[in-house]
Amino acid sequence: LKVPDNISLLHLPPYCPELNPAENIWQYLRQNQLSNRIFESYDAIVDACCDAWNDLAAAPGLIRSIATRSWASINL
């Protein structure tokens, strides 16, 4: 990657929910859909994760509320 002289790359820490809203999406899924459960098999884990993801994907307003940052809004 050739970076122009007028751009500085900053590496994000491994876990930084304020700078990476996807972290909050995973936290929501873990806390509300996938926690405190015992899975019978690997397939049960995959099915639970798929169901949780599909439920979340069907609620774009919820995703927006979890991932939106007031300081990152664009005023058009």
Side-chain angles (χ1 to χ4, degrees), residues 21 24-25 28 53-69:
N24 296 94
I25 299 291
Y28 173 83
W53 185 259
N54 289 333
D55 289 346
L56 183 65
L62 178 59
I63 296 171
R64 195 175 304 114
S65 71
I66 295 169
T68 300
R69 300 288 180 264

Side-chain angles (χ1 to χ4, degrees), residues 13-66:
Y15 178 77
C16 188
E18 273 302 311
L19 298 177
N20 186 1
E23 296 288 347
N24 296 94
I25 299 291
W26 294 122
Q27 180 182 8
Y28 173 83
L29 287 174
R30 284 190 302 268
Q31 288 180 344
N32 295 289
Q33 303 262 349
L34 302 172
S35 63
N36 298 321
R37 297 176 63 181
I38 297 173
F39 300 100
E40 296 293 326
S41 65
Y42 173 80
D43 289 333
I45 295 169
V46 172
D47 290 342
C49 291
C50 289
D51 291 342
W53 185 259
N54 289 333
D55 289 346
L56 183 65
L62 178 59
I63 296 171
R64 195 175 304 114
S65 71
I66 295 169

Side-chain angles (χ1 to χ4, degrees), residues 2-25:
K2 184 175 181 188
V3 179
D5 293 334
N6 63 341
I7 294 179
S8 298
L9 296 179
L10 299 175
H11 297 282
L12 293 177
Y15 178 77
C16 188
E18 273 302 311
L19 298 177
N20 186 1
E23 296 288 347
N24 296 94
I25 299 291

